mmCIF file of all heavy atoms in Angstrom:
data_model
loop_
_atom_site.group_PDB
_atom_site.id
_atom_site.type_symbol
_atom_site.label_atom_id
_atom_site.label_comp_id
_atom_site.label_asym_id
_atom_site.label_seq_id
_atom_site.Cartn_x
_atom_site.Cartn_y
_atom_site.Cartn_z
ATOM 1 N N ALA Q 38 0.240 -6.647 18.377
ATOM 2 C CA ALA Q 38 -0.227 -8.038 18.420
ATOM 3 C C ALA Q 38 0.427 -8.795 19.562
ATOM 4 O O ALA Q 38 -0.235 -9.564 20.279
ATOM 5 C CB ALA Q 38 0.066 -8.715 17.087
ATOM 6 N N GLN Q 39 1.730 -8.590 19.747
ATOM 7 C CA GLN Q 39 2.442 -9.249 20.839
ATOM 8 C C GLN Q 39 1.892 -8.803 22.194
ATOM 9 O O GLN Q 39 1.712 -9.619 23.113
ATOM 10 C CB GLN Q 39 3.929 -8.955 20.746
ATOM 11 C CG GLN Q 39 4.778 -9.690 21.773
ATOM 12 C CD GLN Q 39 6.261 -9.427 21.583
ATOM 13 O OE1 GLN Q 39 6.663 -8.410 21.021
ATOM 14 N NE2 GLN Q 39 7.089 -10.346 22.042
ATOM 15 N N ARG Q 40 1.617 -7.509 22.302
ATOM 16 C CA ARG Q 40 1.051 -6.986 23.552
ATOM 17 C C ARG Q 40 -0.298 -7.619 23.856
ATOM 18 O O ARG Q 40 -0.633 -7.872 25.029
ATOM 19 C CB ARG Q 40 0.915 -5.462 23.439
ATOM 20 C CG ARG Q 40 0.249 -4.788 24.628
ATOM 21 C CD ARG Q 40 0.215 -3.276 24.445
ATOM 22 N NE ARG Q 40 -0.504 -2.864 23.247
ATOM 23 C CZ ARG Q 40 -1.826 -2.742 23.174
ATOM 24 N NH1 ARG Q 40 -2.574 -3.029 24.231
ATOM 25 N NH2 ARG Q 40 -2.412 -2.348 22.053
ATOM 26 N N MET Q 41 -1.072 -7.925 22.800
ATOM 27 C CA MET Q 41 -2.398 -8.521 22.973
ATOM 28 C C MET Q 41 -2.361 -10.053 23.025
ATOM 29 O O MET Q 41 -3.396 -10.690 23.202
ATOM 30 C CB MET Q 41 -3.305 -8.096 21.800
ATOM 31 C CG MET Q 41 -3.579 -6.620 21.708
ATOM 32 S SD MET Q 41 -4.569 -6.245 20.229
ATOM 33 C CE MET Q 41 -4.669 -4.452 20.315
ATOM 34 N N GLY Q 42 -1.171 -10.628 22.831
ATOM 35 C CA GLY Q 42 -1.063 -12.074 22.815
ATOM 36 C C GLY Q 42 -1.657 -12.703 21.570
ATOM 37 O O GLY Q 42 -2.177 -13.827 21.622
ATOM 38 N N ARG Q 43 -1.548 -12.023 20.441
ATOM 39 C CA ARG Q 43 -2.168 -12.467 19.196
ATOM 40 C C ARG Q 43 -1.134 -13.043 18.241
ATOM 41 O O ARG Q 43 -0.012 -12.537 18.127
ATOM 42 C CB ARG Q 43 -2.867 -11.286 18.513
ATOM 43 C CG ARG Q 43 -4.068 -10.743 19.271
ATOM 44 C CD ARG Q 43 -5.308 -11.547 18.979
ATOM 45 N NE ARG Q 43 -5.596 -11.490 17.546
ATOM 46 C CZ ARG Q 43 -6.192 -10.444 16.948
ATOM 47 N NH1 ARG Q 43 -6.560 -9.387 17.662
ATOM 48 N NH2 ARG Q 43 -6.442 -10.462 15.651
ATOM 49 N N GLU Q 44 -1.545 -14.083 17.507
ATOM 50 C CA GLU Q 44 -0.754 -14.631 16.402
ATOM 51 C C GLU Q 44 -1.338 -14.084 15.105
ATOM 52 O O GLU Q 44 -2.535 -14.247 14.843
ATOM 53 C CB GLU Q 44 -0.811 -16.160 16.399
ATOM 54 C CG GLU Q 44 -0.147 -16.817 17.591
ATOM 55 C CD GLU Q 44 1.374 -16.846 17.459
ATOM 56 O OE1 GLU Q 44 1.868 -16.657 16.330
ATOM 57 O OE2 GLU Q 44 2.040 -17.055 18.490
ATOM 58 N N ILE Q 45 -0.525 -13.428 14.301
ATOM 59 C CA ILE Q 45 -1.035 -12.821 13.071
ATOM 60 C C ILE Q 45 -0.162 -13.207 11.876
ATOM 61 O O ILE Q 45 0.981 -13.644 12.036
ATOM 62 C CB ILE Q 45 -1.105 -11.283 13.178
ATOM 63 C CG1 ILE Q 45 0.299 -10.683 13.413
ATOM 64 C CG2 ILE Q 45 -2.067 -10.860 14.266
ATOM 65 C CD1 ILE Q 45 0.333 -9.167 13.302
ATOM 66 N N LEU Q 46 -0.731 -13.025 10.689
ATOM 67 C CA LEU Q 46 0.007 -13.207 9.443
ATOM 68 C C LEU Q 46 -0.011 -11.880 8.699
ATOM 69 O O LEU Q 46 -1.082 -11.379 8.331
ATOM 70 C CB LEU Q 46 -0.634 -14.306 8.584
ATOM 71 C CG LEU Q 46 -0.016 -14.529 7.202
ATOM 72 C CD1 LEU Q 46 1.425 -15.024 7.334
ATOM 73 C CD2 LEU Q 46 -0.840 -15.514 6.388
ATOM 74 N N LEU Q 47 1.174 -11.304 8.482
ATOM 75 C CA LEU Q 47 1.287 -10.023 7.794
ATOM 76 C C LEU Q 47 1.725 -10.220 6.353
ATOM 77 O O LEU Q 47 2.664 -10.974 6.082
ATOM 78 C CB LEU Q 47 2.302 -9.126 8.509
ATOM 79 C CG LEU Q 47 1.809 -8.320 9.710
ATOM 80 C CD1 LEU Q 47 2.978 -7.649 10.415
ATOM 81 C CD2 LEU Q 47 0.794 -7.275 9.290
ATOM 82 N N THR Q 48 1.041 -9.536 5.429
ATOM 83 C CA THR Q 48 1.417 -9.532 4.016
ATOM 84 C C THR Q 48 1.551 -8.077 3.579
ATOM 85 O O THR Q 48 0.631 -7.281 3.780
ATOM 86 C CB THR Q 48 0.350 -10.223 3.151
ATOM 87 O OG1 THR Q 48 0.117 -11.539 3.638
ATOM 88 C CG2 THR Q 48 0.810 -10.290 1.703
ATOM 89 N N SER Q 49 2.686 -7.720 3.021
ATOM 90 C CA SER Q 49 2.897 -6.330 2.615
ATOM 91 C C SER Q 49 3.054 -6.215 1.107
ATOM 92 O O SER Q 49 3.484 -7.161 0.438
ATOM 93 C CB SER Q 49 4.126 -5.743 3.310
ATOM 94 O OG SER Q 49 5.283 -6.472 2.984
ATOM 95 N N HIS Q 50 2.686 -5.042 0.589
ATOM 96 C CA HIS Q 50 2.817 -4.775 -0.852
ATOM 97 C C HIS Q 50 3.237 -3.325 -1.039
ATOM 98 O O HIS Q 50 2.631 -2.409 -0.474
ATOM 99 C CB HIS Q 50 1.490 -5.033 -1.574
ATOM 100 C CG HIS Q 50 1.581 -4.810 -3.056
ATOM 101 N ND1 HIS Q 50 1.953 -5.794 -3.943
ATOM 102 C CD2 HIS Q 50 1.349 -3.701 -3.810
ATOM 103 C CE1 HIS Q 50 1.953 -5.317 -5.168
ATOM 104 N NE2 HIS Q 50 1.589 -4.037 -5.117
ATOM 105 N N LEU Q 51 4.275 -3.121 -1.829
ATOM 106 C CA LEU Q 51 4.762 -1.781 -2.142
ATOM 107 C C LEU Q 51 4.260 -1.353 -3.510
ATOM 108 O O LEU Q 51 4.473 -2.049 -4.509
ATOM 109 C CB LEU Q 51 6.295 -1.766 -2.130
ATOM 110 C CG LEU Q 51 6.963 -0.424 -2.448
ATOM 111 C CD1 LEU Q 51 6.648 0.598 -1.374
ATOM 112 C CD2 LEU Q 51 8.483 -0.615 -2.576
ATOM 113 N N CYS Q 52 3.578 -0.218 -3.574
ATOM 114 C CA CYS Q 52 3.075 0.342 -4.833
ATOM 115 C C CYS Q 52 4.213 1.133 -5.480
ATOM 116 O O CYS Q 52 4.346 2.348 -5.280
ATOM 117 C CB CYS Q 52 1.866 1.233 -4.584
ATOM 118 S SG CYS Q 52 0.502 0.417 -3.742
ATOM 119 N N GLU Q 53 5.027 0.444 -6.247
ATOM 120 C CA GLU Q 53 6.221 1.049 -6.844
ATOM 121 C C GLU Q 53 5.861 2.248 -7.714
ATOM 122 O O GLU Q 53 4.985 2.161 -8.583
ATOM 123 C CB GLU Q 53 6.955 0.014 -7.700
ATOM 124 C CG GLU Q 53 7.496 -1.173 -6.930
ATOM 125 C CD GLU Q 53 8.880 -0.918 -6.374
ATOM 126 O OE1 GLU Q 53 9.371 0.226 -6.520
ATOM 127 O OE2 GLU Q 53 9.461 -1.854 -5.802
ATOM 128 N N GLY Q 54 6.524 3.368 -7.458
ATOM 129 C CA GLY Q 54 6.361 4.557 -8.291
ATOM 130 C C GLY Q 54 5.205 5.452 -7.915
ATOM 131 O O GLY Q 54 5.100 6.575 -8.437
ATOM 132 N N ALA Q 55 4.335 5.004 -6.998
ATOM 133 C CA ALA Q 55 3.148 5.799 -6.678
ATOM 134 C C ALA Q 55 3.511 7.108 -5.976
ATOM 135 O O ALA Q 55 2.957 8.166 -6.300
ATOM 136 C CB ALA Q 55 2.191 4.979 -5.815
ATOM 137 N N PHE Q 56 4.440 7.050 -5.031
ATOM 138 C CA PHE Q 56 4.790 8.274 -4.309
ATOM 139 C C PHE Q 56 5.418 9.297 -5.247
ATOM 140 O O PHE Q 56 5.156 10.498 -5.130
ATOM 141 C CB PHE Q 56 5.745 7.967 -3.157
ATOM 142 C CG PHE Q 56 6.017 9.165 -2.288
ATOM 143 C CD1 PHE Q 56 5.123 9.545 -1.310
ATOM 144 C CD2 PHE Q 56 7.167 9.928 -2.467
ATOM 145 C CE1 PHE Q 56 5.365 10.662 -0.514
ATOM 146 C CE2 PHE Q 56 7.418 11.040 -1.679
ATOM 147 C CZ PHE Q 56 6.513 11.406 -0.698
ATOM 148 N N GLU Q 57 6.226 8.829 -6.184
ATOM 149 C CA GLU Q 57 6.841 9.744 -7.152
ATOM 150 C C GLU Q 57 5.769 10.432 -7.996
ATOM 151 O O GLU Q 57 5.881 11.618 -8.323
ATOM 152 C CB GLU Q 57 7.816 8.985 -8.042
ATOM 153 C CG GLU Q 57 9.095 8.531 -7.343
ATOM 154 C CD GLU Q 57 8.883 7.342 -6.412
ATOM 155 O OE1 GLU Q 57 7.831 6.667 -6.540
ATOM 156 O OE2 GLU Q 57 9.756 7.080 -5.569
ATOM 157 N N LYS Q 58 4.720 9.683 -8.357
ATOM 158 C CA LYS Q 58 3.618 10.282 -9.116
ATOM 159 C C LYS Q 58 2.929 11.372 -8.299
ATOM 160 O O LYS Q 58 2.614 12.455 -8.818
ATOM 161 C CB LYS Q 58 2.601 9.208 -9.505
ATOM 162 C CG LYS Q 58 3.120 8.165 -10.487
ATOM 163 C CD LYS Q 58 3.423 8.773 -11.849
ATOM 164 C CE LYS Q 58 3.837 7.697 -12.850
ATOM 165 N NZ LYS Q 58 4.198 8.268 -14.183
ATOM 166 N N LEU Q 59 2.726 11.102 -7.028
ATOM 167 C CA LEU Q 59 2.090 12.100 -6.164
ATOM 168 C C LEU Q 59 2.971 13.327 -6.018
ATOM 169 O O LEU Q 59 2.496 14.470 -6.083
ATOM 170 C CB LEU Q 59 1.815 11.477 -4.788
ATOM 171 C CG LEU Q 59 1.129 12.379 -3.768
ATOM 172 C CD1 LEU Q 59 -0.265 12.761 -4.231
ATOM 173 C CD2 LEU Q 59 1.075 11.696 -2.406
ATOM 174 N N ARG Q 60 4.256 13.116 -5.848
ATOM 175 C CA ARG Q 60 5.201 14.229 -5.696
ATOM 176 C C ARG Q 60 5.241 15.082 -6.957
ATOM 177 O O ARG Q 60 5.431 16.304 -6.882
ATOM 178 C CB ARG Q 60 6.590 13.677 -5.376
ATOM 179 C CG ARG Q 60 7.622 14.727 -5.005
ATOM 180 C CD ARG Q 60 8.895 14.063 -4.543
ATOM 181 N NE ARG Q 60 9.382 13.091 -5.526
ATOM 182 C CZ ARG Q 60 10.329 12.193 -5.274
ATOM 183 N NH1 ARG Q 60 10.877 12.117 -4.081
ATOM 184 N NH2 ARG Q 60 10.728 11.355 -6.211
ATOM 185 N N ASP Q 61 5.027 14.451 -8.134
ATOM 186 C CA ASP Q 61 5.035 15.182 -9.398
ATOM 187 C C ASP Q 61 3.689 15.808 -9.723
ATOM 188 O O ASP Q 61 3.524 16.420 -10.782
ATOM 189 C CB ASP Q 61 5.443 14.241 -10.538
ATOM 190 C CG ASP Q 61 6.896 13.777 -10.416
ATOM 191 O OD1 ASP Q 61 7.673 14.455 -9.711
ATOM 192 O OD2 ASP Q 61 7.234 12.738 -11.010
ATOM 193 N N GLY Q 62 2.714 15.619 -8.843
ATOM 194 C CA GLY Q 62 1.405 16.229 -9.045
ATOM 195 C C GLY Q 62 0.417 15.398 -9.824
ATOM 196 O O GLY Q 62 -0.678 15.871 -10.145
ATOM 197 N N ASP Q 63 0.768 14.136 -10.117
ATOM 198 C CA ASP Q 63 -0.128 13.265 -10.879
ATOM 199 C C ASP Q 63 -0.921 12.392 -9.908
ATOM 200 O O ASP Q 63 -0.637 11.209 -9.723
ATOM 201 C CB ASP Q 63 0.680 12.398 -11.848
ATOM 202 C CG ASP Q 63 -0.199 11.688 -12.868
ATOM 203 O OD1 ASP Q 63 -1.432 11.658 -12.671
ATOM 204 O OD2 ASP Q 63 0.354 11.149 -13.846
ATOM 205 N N ARG Q 64 -1.922 12.978 -9.279
ATOM 206 C CA ARG Q 64 -2.726 12.266 -8.292
ATOM 207 C C ARG Q 64 -3.459 11.078 -8.902
ATOM 208 O O ARG Q 64 -3.588 10.016 -8.268
ATOM 209 C CB ARG Q 64 -3.718 13.245 -7.665
ATOM 210 C CG ARG Q 64 -4.846 12.630 -6.872
ATOM 211 C CD ARG Q 64 -4.406 11.996 -5.580
ATOM 212 N NE ARG Q 64 -4.032 12.959 -4.575
ATOM 213 C CZ ARG Q 64 -3.765 12.618 -3.316
ATOM 214 N NH1 ARG Q 64 -3.810 11.350 -2.950
ATOM 215 N NH2 ARG Q 64 -3.409 13.538 -2.435
ATOM 216 N N ALA Q 65 -3.937 11.214 -10.142
ATOM 217 C CA ALA Q 65 -4.688 10.124 -10.776
ATOM 218 C C ALA Q 65 -3.824 8.876 -10.939
ATOM 219 O O ALA Q 65 -4.262 7.752 -10.660
ATOM 220 C CB ALA Q 65 -5.228 10.581 -12.129
ATOM 221 N N ALA Q 66 -2.577 9.052 -11.388
ATOM 222 C CA ALA Q 66 -1.680 7.908 -11.558
ATOM 223 C C ALA Q 66 -1.312 7.299 -10.210
ATOM 224 O O ALA Q 66 -1.226 6.071 -10.059
ATOM 225 C CB ALA Q 66 -0.422 8.342 -12.304
ATOM 226 N N HIS Q 67 -1.100 8.152 -9.210
ATOM 227 C CA HIS Q 67 -0.824 7.692 -7.844
ATOM 228 C C HIS Q 67 -1.954 6.812 -7.341
ATOM 229 O O HIS Q 67 -1.747 5.695 -6.833
ATOM 230 C CB HIS Q 67 -0.639 8.923 -6.946
ATOM 231 C CG HIS Q 67 -0.684 8.639 -5.475
ATOM 232 N ND1 HIS Q 67 -1.856 8.698 -4.741
ATOM 233 C CD2 HIS Q 67 0.288 8.306 -4.594
ATOM 234 C CE1 HIS Q 67 -1.597 8.416 -3.477
ATOM 235 N NE2 HIS Q 67 -0.310 8.184 -3.355
ATOM 236 N N ASP Q 68 -3.184 7.290 -7.502
ATOM 237 C CA ASP Q 68 -4.340 6.551 -7.007
ATOM 238 C C ASP Q 68 -4.533 5.240 -7.762
ATOM 239 O O ASP Q 68 -4.904 4.214 -7.162
ATOM 240 C CB ASP Q 68 -5.595 7.415 -7.132
ATOM 241 C CG ASP Q 68 -5.569 8.615 -6.192
ATOM 242 O OD1 ASP Q 68 -4.620 8.727 -5.383
ATOM 243 O OD2 ASP Q 68 -6.494 9.452 -6.275
ATOM 244 N N ALA Q 69 -4.264 5.244 -9.055
ATOM 245 C CA ALA Q 69 -4.417 4.021 -9.852
ATOM 246 C C ALA Q 69 -3.438 2.944 -9.400
ATOM 247 O O ALA Q 69 -3.781 1.752 -9.315
ATOM 248 C CB ALA Q 69 -4.216 4.334 -11.328
ATOM 249 N N LEU Q 70 -2.209 3.334 -9.091
ATOM 250 C CA LEU Q 70 -1.209 2.373 -8.622
ATOM 251 C C LEU Q 70 -1.592 1.799 -7.252
ATOM 252 O O LEU Q 70 -1.335 0.622 -6.975
ATOM 253 C CB LEU Q 70 0.168 3.036 -8.551
ATOM 254 C CG LEU Q 70 0.828 3.311 -9.908
ATOM 255 C CD1 LEU Q 70 2.049 4.213 -9.741
ATOM 256 C CD2 LEU Q 70 1.223 1.999 -10.584
ATOM 257 N N ILE Q 71 -2.205 2.603 -6.417
ATOM 258 C CA ILE Q 71 -2.665 2.108 -5.121
ATOM 259 C C ILE Q 71 -3.796 1.095 -5.305
ATOM 260 O O ILE Q 71 -3.822 0.042 -4.648
ATOM 261 C CB ILE Q 71 -3.104 3.269 -4.223
ATOM 262 C CG1 ILE Q 71 -1.874 4.093 -3.808
ATOM 263 C CG2 ILE Q 71 -3.852 2.766 -2.985
ATOM 264 C CD1 ILE Q 71 -2.199 5.333 -3.029
ATOM 265 N N ARG Q 72 -4.706 1.368 -6.224
ATOM 266 C CA ARG Q 72 -5.799 0.424 -6.468
ATOM 267 C C ARG Q 72 -5.265 -0.886 -7.039
ATOM 268 O O ARG Q 72 -5.778 -1.971 -6.721
ATOM 269 C CB ARG Q 72 -6.831 1.060 -7.392
ATOM 270 C CG ARG Q 72 -7.656 2.154 -6.706
ATOM 271 C CD ARG Q 72 -8.836 2.593 -7.554
ATOM 272 N NE ARG Q 72 -8.413 3.353 -8.713
ATOM 273 C CZ ARG Q 72 -8.278 4.677 -8.727
ATOM 274 N NH1 ARG Q 72 -8.514 5.387 -7.630
ATOM 275 N NH2 ARG Q 72 -7.912 5.308 -9.826
ATOM 276 N N GLU Q 73 -4.232 -0.816 -7.872
ATOM 277 C CA GLU Q 73 -3.601 -2.033 -8.370
ATOM 278 C C GLU Q 73 -2.973 -2.840 -7.231
ATOM 279 O O GLU Q 73 -3.083 -4.064 -7.171
ATOM 280 C CB GLU Q 73 -2.527 -1.692 -9.410
ATOM 281 C CG GLU Q 73 -3.075 -1.195 -10.734
ATOM 282 C CD GLU Q 73 -1.954 -0.829 -11.699
ATOM 283 O OE1 GLU Q 73 -0.785 -1.185 -11.414
ATOM 284 O OE2 GLU Q 73 -2.250 -0.182 -12.721
ATOM 285 N N GLY Q 74 -2.314 -2.135 -6.328
ATOM 286 C CA GLY Q 74 -1.714 -2.794 -5.183
ATOM 287 C C GLY Q 74 -2.749 -3.438 -4.283
ATOM 288 O O GLY Q 74 -2.546 -4.548 -3.768
ATOM 289 N N LEU Q 75 -3.859 -2.758 -4.115
ATOM 290 C CA LEU Q 75 -4.939 -3.311 -3.304
ATOM 291 C C LEU Q 75 -5.457 -4.616 -3.908
ATOM 292 O O LEU Q 75 -5.698 -5.597 -3.194
ATOM 293 C CB LEU Q 75 -6.069 -2.293 -3.189
ATOM 294 C CG LEU Q 75 -7.309 -2.748 -2.425
ATOM 295 C CD1 LEU Q 75 -6.962 -3.042 -0.967
ATOM 296 C CD2 LEU Q 75 -8.409 -1.687 -2.510
ATOM 297 N N ALA Q 76 -5.612 -4.623 -5.223
ATOM 298 C CA ALA Q 76 -6.101 -5.827 -5.898
ATOM 299 C C ALA Q 76 -5.176 -7.015 -5.661
ATOM 300 O O ALA Q 76 -5.615 -8.169 -5.596
ATOM 301 C CB ALA Q 76 -6.252 -5.556 -7.398
ATOM 302 N N ALA Q 77 -3.866 -6.753 -5.518
ATOM 303 C CA ALA Q 77 -2.900 -7.825 -5.280
ATOM 304 C C ALA Q 77 -3.036 -8.428 -3.887
ATOM 305 O O ALA Q 77 -2.617 -9.575 -3.658
ATOM 306 C CB ALA Q 77 -1.476 -7.294 -5.472
ATOM 307 N N LEU Q 78 -3.619 -7.675 -2.950
ATOM 308 C CA LEU Q 78 -3.766 -8.161 -1.580
ATOM 309 C C LEU Q 78 -5.116 -8.816 -1.316
ATOM 310 O O LEU Q 78 -5.202 -9.772 -0.531
ATOM 311 C CB LEU Q 78 -3.586 -7.003 -0.586
ATOM 312 C CG LEU Q 78 -2.181 -6.445 -0.400
ATOM 313 C CD1 LEU Q 78 -2.217 -5.240 0.540
ATOM 314 C CD2 LEU Q 78 -1.253 -7.506 0.170
ATOM 315 N N LEU Q 79 -6.155 -8.308 -1.944
ATOM 316 C CA LEU Q 79 -7.506 -8.797 -1.668
ATOM 317 C C LEU Q 79 -7.614 -10.289 -1.970
ATOM 318 O O LEU Q 79 -7.066 -10.797 -2.927
ATOM 319 C CB LEU Q 79 -8.526 -8.016 -2.501
ATOM 320 C CG LEU Q 79 -8.692 -6.546 -2.149
ATOM 321 C CD1 LEU Q 79 -9.700 -5.885 -3.067
ATOM 322 C CD2 LEU Q 79 -9.110 -6.370 -0.696
ATOM 323 N N GLY Q 80 -8.339 -10.992 -1.135
ATOM 324 C CA GLY Q 80 -8.490 -12.431 -1.279
ATOM 325 C C GLY Q 80 -7.545 -13.215 -0.399
ATOM 326 O O GLY Q 80 -7.772 -14.400 -0.135
#
């Protein structure tokens, strides 16, 4: 953004526990936590 001369607003969200679910082989729980995180950002 700085290289392009842009002013931006960044909002970040951490999907707590999702990576651990993926590492344990629980892809469904991992994906559900990501969708929850997405819902927190949308809008």
Side-chain angles (χ1 to χ4, degrees):
Q39 185 177 24
R40 176 178 59 82
M41 297 176 183
R43 293 277 300 281
E44 294 282 343
I45 61 171
L46 176 64
L47 276 172
T48 305
S49 60
H50 182 88
L51 180 65
C52 303
E53 296 273 5
F56 186 81
E57 289 75 17
K58 294 294 184 182
L59 181 64
R60 188 173 53 193
D61 293 340
D63 192 346
R64 166 70 72 172
H67 166 269
D68 292 355
L70 287 169
I71 291 175
R72 288 190 289 270
E73 289 178 12
L75 177 63
L78 288 176
L79 293 179

